[in-house]
Amino acid sequence: FSICLLLKDDNDLLPEWLAYHWHTIKLRHLVVAIDPSSTTSPRRIFDEWRNFGLNITTWSDENFMPDFFLDGQFDQVPSMIKYEDKNASRWTPGAAVSSVKNALINITDLPEHLRDDFTRINNHRFRQSRFLTECTKHLQDHNLTWMMHVDTDEYLTINPTLRKMGIAGNVTVPKQLAKNSVLTFLEKLVQLNSKVVNWPCISLPRLFFGSVEDGTDIGDDNDNGNGDNAMQAPSYQNEFNMQRFETLRWKYHADFENFKLNKLPKVVMDVSGFPHAALSEYSSKHTPGRVFSIHRPNVKLCRKGTQMNINVGRKYPLLVHHYIGSLQRYMAREDPRRTIEAYNLKALVKEGKDDSFMATWFPNFVDDVGLETAKRLLSDYATAPVEVPNGPPHNDAPIVLPPDSLRTNTYSGLSICLLLKASDTPAMLVEWLAWHYHGSKLRMLIIYLTDDFSSKQRQELDGIIAAWQQLISMVVWTETDIDGGQSPAHQVLQSIPDGGLDSNDGEQAAQQRIRLLTKCLGMMQSTSQSWFALLEVDQFINLHPGLISKVEWRKLPLGSVKPNTSNFLFHFLQEASSVYAKGLNYPCLSLPQILYGYGPNDVGASDGTNTAKSLLLSKLRTIQWRRRFDDAAIRNSDALKPVILVDANAFREGGRHDASSIETVLSKCRDPKMMDVSEKHKFPFVIDRFVGNQRNLEIADRAETEQASNEEDKKPLDIQSTTDQPLREWIEPWVGGFQMAVEGGRGGLPDANKLLLDHLRGLDRIEEREAPLRIHAAYHDQQGGGQEQRIDLPPLVKKRQQQNHDGTDADVFSACSLVKDDNDILDEWIAYHYHMIGLRHLVVATDDKSKTQPTKLLDKWRDFGMTIEEWDDHAFMPDFFFDPNKHHLMPRLAKIKKNKERWIGDVNDTAVVEHVVREINRHRFRQVTFLTACTKALREQNRTWMIHIDTDEYLTVNPVARKDKRFDGSDVSIPTGIHGPNIILDMLNELSSVLPSARTINYPCITLPRLLFGSVEETEEGEATINGGRNSSDRGGELLGLPKMQRSEEPPFDVFDRSKFESLRWKYHTGYNDELLNKQPKVVIDISQIPSDDKMLTDDRVFSIHRPSMALCRMQGQLEMERTDRFPFSVNHYLGTFERFNSRDDLRRNRKIYDGKSQLREGKDDGWMEGWLQNFIDVHGIDTVASLLQRYKRSQE
């Protein structure tokens, strides 16, 4: 759980607030913005909690407020106070009011004596909304989930109405506040009732607590805690002053419906369920670029504040206790809204009394962490002074913000001067840029060209700069820029081999080094940059390899220092240099170099999937080059001195940037001869330097000439015989993290993967994965001015399939299907998916009780070019499945208790019930086992997209999106009319390859809501006719109430009978969110992206056919078809006629069940499905299609 917290002189409340939420909601990540006017620092408290494992990030206003606000230009702050605001006159008597609804106050129009107070309140609201916006984005960037924004006088707890009932739906309410109890309760509710509680934005009504204690007196902080009103816990009464605890002291609260005192709600949000643009794009037209309000951050996803009712526990299972506290506490803040009169109006509230539920958290917390730890974390609440080991003194000194807070521009982050040689390839540069942008928060780059670049090389460089300029501020220098052309640039490079530390290379070289460093440092200081380094393109800043398996460095947690997290190195650098400045030798940090190379089998090694991602990973030096050179030889080489990382702001001297400041910088750096890379407690950061399979030629040249100080430098360096696999596995996720970080709208660069691949291709001639399979090679005639002409292919011509290098078929769509007497609908199902999604590989398992076999039908599709495998149960089921005496070994997957009435009605015969359960359980076990085996088989054959649906289900585009002709939050358009081949596959590939849509649709496991179609048809006159009744038939529409429409002679129905096509015949469906009829969703998965350790592959069976992977797929109860950004595709599920429905031997299929579904008319299809058959004919010719779909032709009259 994460919390975004605004803090101002709250040290007296903070320890209890932290302890409570650490214990009850598993608070592990805290982002704090300290008010600039705060007079005390929370550092002592935070240090203790950091040591305990809480990840705390502290911000100042420079981290999230715009420049005009920082400069005091408050007239530019948008107005956030309304004329009719009922608080306006209370804040400042005589404030103007207006009858115009939602009219905003123009502060400059107010009388002068009112402006200061209103400006302060307006600034406060603006600062709140900006902080919550940026904090939420920050948490999204770090792939976190639950978060909320509450104050230190507010505590998240369980709704008291539910506590009284003891149950919320099917979820038991905890009887006390045990460890993580509130979080566990929340997650169970969301899993079962996500729609009811309004996931992912769950409103939290507030309940106001006054300062009345059991003696009906107003509480006074001068009470020593030993009087009649003191709250005491017998086990700890001698250890803690219980009167200090807000949650234990105050019991009386306002009425549940007293909105005047309880005020607007807060919210708890699952930020992983928010589209990345949700906090700005969907906030409000009045609040562009920031949340709508702290009470309702998103107007589309969050409920209105006026909808709150604590008594409706099923909608509002959690709430916030808001404690006013004592008068001394209340008046401690300088706030025009806080007066003694205002306090007295609230303090005496006694409309309800809390039970003892809240008091249970503290003894449970002490039992969990231990008494001594509790006393240390809550030292201010202890009855006797507590000595904090190795901690700072107990004082609340004025805030001293870390050096990072001095930055005031948009390039806050790391700055680098990069020495670029003409021999450095574009691929090397792009990987270097991506790594440092993602991990080190590279935001300003000076590229110094060390030698002459050809026009082609400069053109390539300009192209890279143009692509990255929107992310990183860049400037290119040549020797003229730093030296007036007095000395060749390559001499400057040689004089500064690594970071500019060597001072023994002659006076001339030293002067050259000073000029370059002076120029770079001056640029950093003039633009208010902070951290700065001088690197080459083969040098990568990284975490010390000895720390990758550690949970902390010194006392700082390393839980969030992971390569898949944006700016993971920079954030750790800020925190480490602030807390352990002396130990790191701030402001000049030394980064030892570690050399890496590769062996004969390392470079280009792929995971076998042949996807764009695997090709990308196989060519990145940061992942593949992980054989380490001998450290001792490196340390002894003058050519490989450590790199320095400097805080430029620490050396500002009135804006002067002369040689003396450079000398001051160097004087503050460690002696390189005194450094040992193994001392990770001193050097948590290192330089990974990638030099290939032997010593880099330039380094070797230096070692053999003037840079070599001894014979040892001239010897070849030893390299490890194997790859450092743990380091490689730890670092590999950075690519995915980088792609997420640069998604569209948050940083530009919408296709980072493509950018990297394009430049890698230039170095290694990598072939990017070819476009998705197209089977209509002859469809477009490129002759005759590019005019498209239809070419009818001969019947049953086997299409040429694209192939991988090993001869296997390339990127095709695959399906796993269980069939049972489905020959009457199987041809249409195959033809539709062949045409619409590029289905080319089909694995079929025929039920052993099927009366018909599909082999002959499938043979013609094999001749048409498809790969079709037919499995019997022995190919994938365990041996005990075939032994009736061992069926008890099957896992229990059928739940008769909740389904009995639907399955067998009023039958109570034990034998019948057991038989039903056994057969249904057998069926479900067969389903999940088949899907598991089929997935593994397709993955071994390098397949990508895979789906498991039945033959009465059709993958299509979400009908809500079709109506809008677009998907929410995406530029991918949805064509109307006749559909070209693979149209759904094309949209699927486009959405999954472009950020942010890939993240939003949950790639690689994309959920497909199902939509049930009944047996209501439409006549030519547009009237609906209910079919599938007791006298209905499947014969060509003769008895179906469709006399004219079905006998139309317009193509293609001059040849085919519409009434025989499930996808064309049925038009009326249930409501989009009718979970009872639509049932659980299906999924489409890119199986090439399933991690090898996912339980979907390692276990004997998938979790379920609706959610094969618990790790990759969404929870099943989170479906809203209106959310087309999350669910761009859906599945049409056709009930069909009663004859068809009842043809299977299935106890769950009967007339009662059918009649309950067949008469659906809650919605009507838009006709989008109509186009597939005609276009399938256009591509392949009427003769070919007629041969494939023989049974669907019109009857001869």
Side-chain angles (χ1 to χ4, degrees):
F1 214 105
S2 306
I3 293 182
C4 300
L5 177 67
L6 288 166
L7 200 62
K8 180 182 179 183
D9 295 323
D10 288 335
N11 287 2
D12 55 336
L13 299 178
L14 191 56
E16 177 191 4
W17 185 90
L18 289 170
Y20 174 88
H21 291 103
W22 167 279
H23 175 71
T24 59
I25 67 173
K26 199 177 180 180
L27 172 64
R28 295 299 183 268
H29 196 117
L30 179 66
V31 180
V32 180
I34 302 171
D35 194 287
S37 62
S38 187
T39 59
T40 57
S41 169
R43 177 172 293 183
R44 170 181 60 83
I45 298 171
F46 285 164
D47 284 346
E48 198 60 56
W49 279 93
R50 285 190 177 105
N51 294 338
F52 191 58
L54 180 60
N55 188 315
I56 303 176
T57 302
T58 55
W59 286 358
S60 62
D61 281 14
E62 284 80 3
N63 293 97
F64 61 93
M65 296 303 293
D67 289 342
F68 68 79
F69 189 89
L70 299 174
D71 294 338
Q73 300 173 17
F74 300 138
D75 57 322
Q76 297 187 35
V77 175
S79 179
M80 305 187 71
I81 304 176
K82 299 174 183 178
Y83 270 108
E84 73 272 21
D85 194 321
K86 60 186 178 183
N87 295 307
S89 59
R90 179 171 57 82
W91 293 335
T92 308
V97 273
S98 169
S99 60
V100 181
K101 187 176 182 180
N102 291 326
L104 294 170
I105 288 178
N106 184 344
I107 294 176
T108 58
D109 293 340
L110 292 173
E112 189 171 348
H113 70 282
L114 300 179
R115 291 178 190 173
D116 288 345
D117 285 346
F118 273 80
T119 297
R120 186 179 304 160
I121 295 168
N122 197 63
N123 289 351
H124 169 69
R125 290 187 175 180
F126 180 58
R127 184 172 178 269
Q128 276 185 325
S129 65
R130 285 282 303 201
F131 170 65
L132 181 54
T133 301
E134 296 307 313
C135 181
T136 306
K137 292 176 182 177
H138 169 81
L139 297 176
Q140 283 184 317
D141 289 342
H142 285 71
N143 300 319
L144 297 172
T145 53
W146 291 111
M147 68 84 64
M148 66 178 178
H149 168 63
V150 293
D151 298 324
T152 52
D153 55 4
E154 296 176 327
Y155 291 74
L156 180 63
T157 188
I158 296 174
N159 190 317
T161 62
L162 296 181
R163 302 197 310 242
K164 184 177 181 180
M165 295 169 56
I167 193 167
N170 295 324
V171 180
T172 301
V173 178
K175 295 182 179 180
Q176 55 181 297
L177 288 169
K179 182 179 180 180
N180 305 334
S181 55
V182 177
L183 175 61
T184 302
F185 177 67
L186 170 63
E187 290 181 331
K188 288 181 179 179
L189 282 174
V190 169
Q191 186 174 6
L192 297 175
N193 304 302
S194 62
K195 187 175 180 181
V196 175
V197 299
N198 198 52
W199 181 94
C201 184
I202 302 172
S203 297
L204 308 172
R206 288 194 288 179
L207 185 60
F208 180 81
F209 282 72
S211 61
V212 176
E213 298 184 277
D214 284 340
T216 320
D217 297 323
I218 295 180
D220 188 336
D221 280 349
N222 294 323
D223 190 329
N224 61 14
N226 298 319
D228 294 336
N229 299 334
M231 293 298 303
Q232 297 183 352
S235 300
Y236 310 116
Q237 62 179 342
N238 296 324
E239 305 290 346
F240 295 95
N241 181 356
M242 309 308 292
Q243 196 77 354
R244 286 289 310 275
F245 291 87
E246 302 289 295
T247 53
L248 307 182
R249 180 178 183 182
W250 313 113
K251 295 293 185 181
Y252 292 97
H253 56 74
D255 186 82
F256 290 161
E257 298 182 5
N258 188 339
F259 186 77
K260 182 178 181 180
L261 286 179
N262 293 330
K263 306 294 185 185
L264 290 170
K266 294 294 181 77
V267 296
V268 60
M269 301 183 292
D270 181 354
V271 294
S272 67
F274 270 55
H276 217 66
L279 293 172
S280 54
E281 180 181 347
Y282 302 139
S283 54
S284 168
K285 63 182 180 181
H286 301 298
T287 61
R290 55 184 170 84
V291 298
F292 177 58
S293 81
I294 62 170
H295 307 287
R296 190 187 181 194
N298 182 279
V299 295
K300 184 174 182 180
L301 301 179
C302 304
R303 286 181 167 131
K304 292 181 179 179
T306 56
Q307 295 176 341
M308 304 299 107
N309 190 334
I310 296 177
N311 290 309
V312 186
R314 64 186 184 87
K315 284 188 176 182
Y316 310 109
L318 303 179
L319 53 74
V320 168
H321 282 192
H322 182 197
Y323 297 97
I324 191 174
S326 66
L327 177 62
Q328 293 89 333
R329 170 65 203 162
Y330 182 80
M331 296 300 296
R333 286 188 182 179
E334 182 185 355
D335 188 329
R337 298 170 298 177
R338 296 196 175 199
T339 64
I340 295 178
E341 291 76 12
Y343 180 82
N344 289 333
L345 288 173
K346 303 175 181 180
L348 290 173
V349 64
K350 198 178 177 183
E351 298 169 349
K353 185 178 181 182
D354 192 46
D355 53 23
S356 60
F357 182 77
M358 284 296 286
T360 61
W361 82 266
F362 184 62
N364 281 317
F365 171 73
V366 176
D367 290 343
D368 180 48
V369 304
L371 180 58
E372 293 306 314
T373 300
K375 288 170 63 177
R376 188 172 70 250
L377 293 172
L378 298 168
S379 58
D380 292 343
Y381 298 69
T383 53
V386 177
E387 182 178 352
V388 182
N390 301 319
H394 277 226
N395 68 330
D396 295 328
I399 292 176
V400 180
L401 294 174
D404 180 66
S405 66
L406 295 173
R407 297 194 302 268
T408 59
N409 58 71
T410 57
Y411 301 127
S412 296
L414 181 68
S415 303
I416 295 178
C417 277
L418 177 66
L419 302 166
L420 191 66
K421 304 183 292 291
S423 58
D424 294 330
T425 66
M428 296 167 65
L429 175 58
V430 169
E431 182 183 0
W432 186 93
L433 287 169
W435 170 265
H436 286 99
Y437 173 84
H438 171 65
S440 303
K441 199 179 180 182
L442 175 62
R443 295 299 183 267
M444 185 170 185
L445 178 65
I446 299 172
I447 301 177
Y448 177 65
L449 306 183
T450 63
D451 43 18
D452 293 332
F453 277 52
S454 67
S455 58
K456 181 179 180 181
Q457 289 173 321
R458 189 59 190 262
Q459 186 176 4
E460 287 179 334
L461 176 61
D462 291 342
I464 295 173
I465 292 174
W468 285 83
Q469 190 74 46
Q470 51 192 314
L471 297 181
I472 303 171
S473 178
M474 296 190 192
V475 61
V476 177
W477 288 352
T478 63
E479 58 187 70
T480 305
D481 294 298
I482 71 154
D483 211 18
Q486 296 177 14
S487 57
H490 70 274
Q491 292 182 14
V492 178
L493 173 65
Q494 291 175 358
S495 70
I496 314 169
D498 299 292
L501 286 180
D502 190 0
S503 59
N504 299 316
D505 47 354
E507 182 179 351
Q508 181 179 1
Q511 290 300 319
Q512 292 168 344
R513 180 185 68 253
I514 287 175
R515 280 193 288 271
L516 178 58
L517 284 174
T518 299
K519 185 77 172 180
C520 290
L521 184 62
M523 174 66 82
M524 305 306 152
Q525 292 177 327
S526 65
T527 54
S528 298
Q529 301 307 301
S530 181
W531 291 105
F532 150 70
L534 183 70
L535 298 177
E536 295 182 49
V537 81
D538 59 0
Q539 295 174 313
F540 291 68
I541 299 174
N542 197 8
L543 189 70
H544 193 292
L547 297 178
I548 64 172
S549 61
K550 305 296 183 182
V551 296
E552 65 179 16
W553 173 78
R554 297 194 175 190
K555 295 296 183 180
L556 295 182
L558 294 172
S560 62
V561 188
K562 302 295 183 184
N564 65 333
T565 304
S566 297
N567 310 325
F568 69 102
L569 293 171
F570 186 76
H571 289 158
F572 183 54
L573 169 65
Q574 287 182 297
E575 190 170 22
S577 61
S578 176
V579 178
Y580 296 105
K582 184 175 180 180
L584 287 176
N585 197 55
Y586 175 85
C588 183
L589 280 61
S590 296
L591 279 57
Q593 297 200 74
I594 300 178
L595 260 63
Y596 291 95
Y598 59 84
N601 299 320
D602 294 337
V603 180
S606 176
D607 59 8
T609 63
N610 201 35
T611 63
K613 182 179 179 181
S614 68
L615 286 172
L616 171 61
L617 298 183
S618 72
K619 298 302 175 183
L620 295 179
R621 293 171 294 169
T622 48
I623 295 172
Q624 291 296 332
W625 295 19
R626 284 300 172 186
R627 297 195 184 196
R628 187 167 171 174
F629 285 91
D630 177 58
D631 286 339
I634 296 171
R635 285 201 307 273
N636 294 331
S637 173
D638 285 334
L640 293 169
K641 296 288 180 67
V643 169
I644 60 172
L645 187 58
V646 176
D647 182 358
N649 270 325
F651 299 96
R652 299 186 66 164
E653 296 182 1
R656 299 182 59 193
H657 315 299
D658 54 18
S660 62
S661 63
I662 298 298
E663 293 168 351
T664 304
V665 170
L666 297 177
S667 69
K668 298 294 184 181
C669 300
R670 294 183 191 271
D671 182 351
K673 297 179 181 180
M674 302 298 292
M675 286 187 284
D676 187 342
V677 70
S678 64
E679 296 180 308
K680 54 182 178 290
H681 65 288
K682 289 185 180 179
F683 310 110
F685 303 97
V686 297
I687 294 293
D688 288 353
R689 188 161 193 175
F690 301 100
V691 296
N693 61 347
Q694 59 182 350
R695 300 185 72 178
N696 178 280
L697 292 178
E698 182 181 355
I699 296 176
D701 287 343
R702 295 180 195 164
E704 293 169 3
T705 56
E706 73 274 13
Q707 298 297 327
S709 60
N710 53 56
E711 289 299 317
E712 191 69 25
D713 288 336
K714 300 180 183 180
K715 296 179 181 179
L717 298 180
D718 294 329
I719 191 171
Q720 293 176 346
S721 59
T722 58
T723 297
D724 186 343
Q725 194 62 27
L727 177 59
R728 179 178 175 181
E729 292 175 357
W730 178 83
I731 211 166
E732 184 171 311
W734 85 262
V735 178
F738 166 68
Q739 290 174 303
M740 293 297 182
V742 298
E743 65 185 58
R746 288 297 310 280
L749 203 64
D751 196 348
N753 195 49
K754 183 177 185 298
L755 183 73
L756 283 170
L757 278 173
D758 284 346
H759 291 291
L760 285 172
R761 187 184 297 113
L763 174 66
D764 297 309
R765 298 178 182 176
I766 305 299
E767 293 291 337
E768 187 178 0
R769 184 179 69 176
E770 294 183 357
L773 178 63
R774 300 283 186 175
I775 52 82
H776 57 296
Y779 182 52
H780 297 295
D781 184 1
Q782 300 303 323
Q783 309 296 325
Q787 296 295 319
E788 296 183 357
Q789 299 180 0
R790 181 171 64 82
I791 299 179
D792 292 333
L793 301 179
L796 302 181
V797 172
K798 187 172 183 177
K799 307 299 178 293
R800 185 181 75 82
Q801 296 183 333
Q802 297 176 340
Q803 292 186 329
N804 296 321
H805 299 301
D806 60 358
T808 59
D809 297 335
D811 180 23
V812 301
F813 214 108
S814 306
C816 302
S817 183
L818 291 164
V819 300
K820 180 182 179 183
D821 294 320
D822 289 334
N823 287 4
D824 56 332
I825 59 175
L826 188 54
D827 274 331
E828 177 193 2
W829 185 89
I830 293 176
Y832 172 88
H833 290 101
Y834 184 101
H835 181 70
M836 298 292 279
I837 69 174
L839 177 64
R840 297 298 182 272
H841 193 146
L842 177 62
V843 180
V844 174
T846 305
D847 194 287
D848 58 2
K849 296 182 180 180
S850 183
K851 303 180 184 67
T852 58
Q853 295 296 318
T855 301
K856 184 176 179 181
L857 179 153
L858 296 174
D859 280 343
K860 64 184 176 184
W861 288 100
R862 290 187 177 100
D863 292 337
F864 194 60
M866 289 185 65
T867 299
I868 300 179
E869 303 177 40
E870 289 184 81
W871 292 1
D872 63 16
D873 285 4
H874 290 278
F876 58 93
M877 296 304 297
D879 292 339
F880 67 77
F881 179 80
F882 306 98
D883 187 346
N885 296 322
K886 295 183 179 180
H887 279 185
H888 64 280
L889 298 177
M890 285 188 286
R892 185 87 172 193
L893 301 176
K895 300 177 181 178
I896 187 64
K897 185 175 182 180
K898 61 184 294 187
N899 296 298
K900 177 179 178 296
E901 182 178 354
R902 183 166 58 88
W903 288 348
I904 53 178
D906 297 330
V907 176
N908 292 312
D909 188 293
T910 303
V912 173
V913 173
E914 290 180 353
H915 173 71
V916 170
V917 172
R918 184 167 55 251
E919 289 301 306
I920 294 174
N921 200 66
R922 181 180 182 275
H923 166 69
R924 291 187 174 178
F925 180 55
R926 182 173 176 267
Q927 276 185 323
V928 295
T929 308
F930 168 68
L931 179 55
T932 304
C934 183
T935 302
K936 293 177 180 179
L938 292 173
R939 197 169 188 270
E940 290 173 357
Q941 298 178 61
N942 297 334
R943 297 305 189 218
T944 53
W945 291 112
M946 184 273 286
I947 193 171
H948 170 62
I949 54 177
D950 299 325
T951 52
D952 55 3
E953 297 175 328
Y954 289 71
L955 176 60
T956 186
V957 177
N958 186 322
V960 179
R962 298 196 309 244
K963 182 179 179 181
D964 297 336
K965 298 183 176 58
R966 62 182 293 274
F967 303 106
D968 284 349
S970 171
D971 294 330
V972 179
S973 60
I974 302 172
T976 57
I978 301 299
H979 310 314
N982 304 336
I983 183 173
I984 294 179
L985 177 60
D986 290 345
M987 288 186 281
L988 180 61
N989 277 325
E990 191 170 358
L991 285 169
S992 60
S993 62
V994 178
L995 293 168
S997 57
R999 177 180 180 178
T1000 306
I1001 66 176
N1002 199 52
Y1003 174 82
C1005 183
I1006 303 170
T1007 302
L1008 308 171
R1010 289 195 288 180
L1011 187 62
L1012 179 66
F1013 283 70
S1015 60
V1016 176
E1017 295 181 289
E1018 186 180 39
T1019 66
E1020 186 178 38
E1021 290 77 18
E1023 299 175 351
T1025 302
I1026 299 175
N1027 296 285
R1030 298 183 185 277
N1031 298 320
S1032 66
S1033 170
D1034 284 333
R1035 291 178 296 151
E1038 294 295 322
L1039 301 177
L1040 296 176
L1042 301 167
K1044 295 183 179 180
M1045 180 175 284
Q1046 305 305 325
R1047 291 196 290 268
S1048 169
E1049 295 184 357
E1050 295 181 4
F1053 302 112
D1054 55 342
V1055 176
F1056 293 102
D1057 189 339
R1058 179 194 296 268
S1059 67
K1060 295 182 178 181
F1061 290 86
E1062 301 291 293
S1063 61
L1064 305 179
R1065 178 179 182 180
W1066 313 112
K1067 298 293 184 183
Y1068 292 93
H1069 57 74
T1070 187
Y1072 291 146
N1073 296 315
D1074 189 333
E1075 298 178 4
L1076 182 64
L1077 290 176
N1078 292 328
K1079 307 295 184 187
Q1080 300 277 25
K1082 294 296 180 76
V1083 297
V1084 57
I1085 308 180
D1086 182 351
I1087 56 177
S1088 69
Q1089 302 304 314
I1090 302 175
S1092 58
D1093 59 350
D1094 190 279
K1095 290 186 177 182
M1096 185 176 179
L1097 302 175
T1098 59
D1099 288 4
D1100 294 333
R1101 57 185 175 87
V1102 298
F1103 178 61
S1104 79
I1105 61 170
H1106 308 286
R1107 189 188 179 193
S1109 168
M1110 291 188 69
L1112 299 178
C1113 305
R1114 296 186 195 273
M1115 289 191 293
Q1116 298 168 23
Q1118 300 176 354
L1119 304 184
E1120 293 181 72
M1121 288 189 69
E1122 290 86 351
R1123 291 291 306 277
T1124 61
D1125 56 336
R1126 294 167 61 86
F1127 309 110
F1129 306 98
S1130 59
V1131 168
N1132 284 1
H1133 182 197
Y1134 296 101
L1135 183 70
T1137 65
F1138 178 69
E1139 288 83 354
R1140 169 69 201 156
F1141 179 81
N1142 199 43
S1143 62
R1144 287 189 179 178
D1145 182 18
D1146 188 331
L1147 292 170
R1148 297 170 299 174
R1149 298 195 173 204
N1150 53 57
R1151 167 61 67 177
K1152 181 179 179 181
I1153 295 295
Y1154 183 83
D1155 288 345
K1157 300 178 179 180
S1158 61
Q1159 301 181 22
L1160 300 172
R1161 286 188 62 186
E1162 295 178 33
K1164 183 182 178 184
D1165 189 63
D1166 57 5
W1168 196 83
M1169 296 287 287
E1170 290 283 327
W1172 81 264
L1173 178 59
Q1174 181 60 57
N1175 195 247
F1176 186 53
I1177 295 171
D1178 291 343
V1179 175
H1180 302 289
I1182 187 63
D1183 293 337
T1184 298
V1185 176
S1187 299
L1188 292 169
L1189 302 176
Q1190 182 70 33
R1191 69 173 61 244
Y1192 299 81
K1193 295 174 65 177
R1194 289 170 55 85
S1195 302
Q1196 296 296 322
E1197 297 182 3

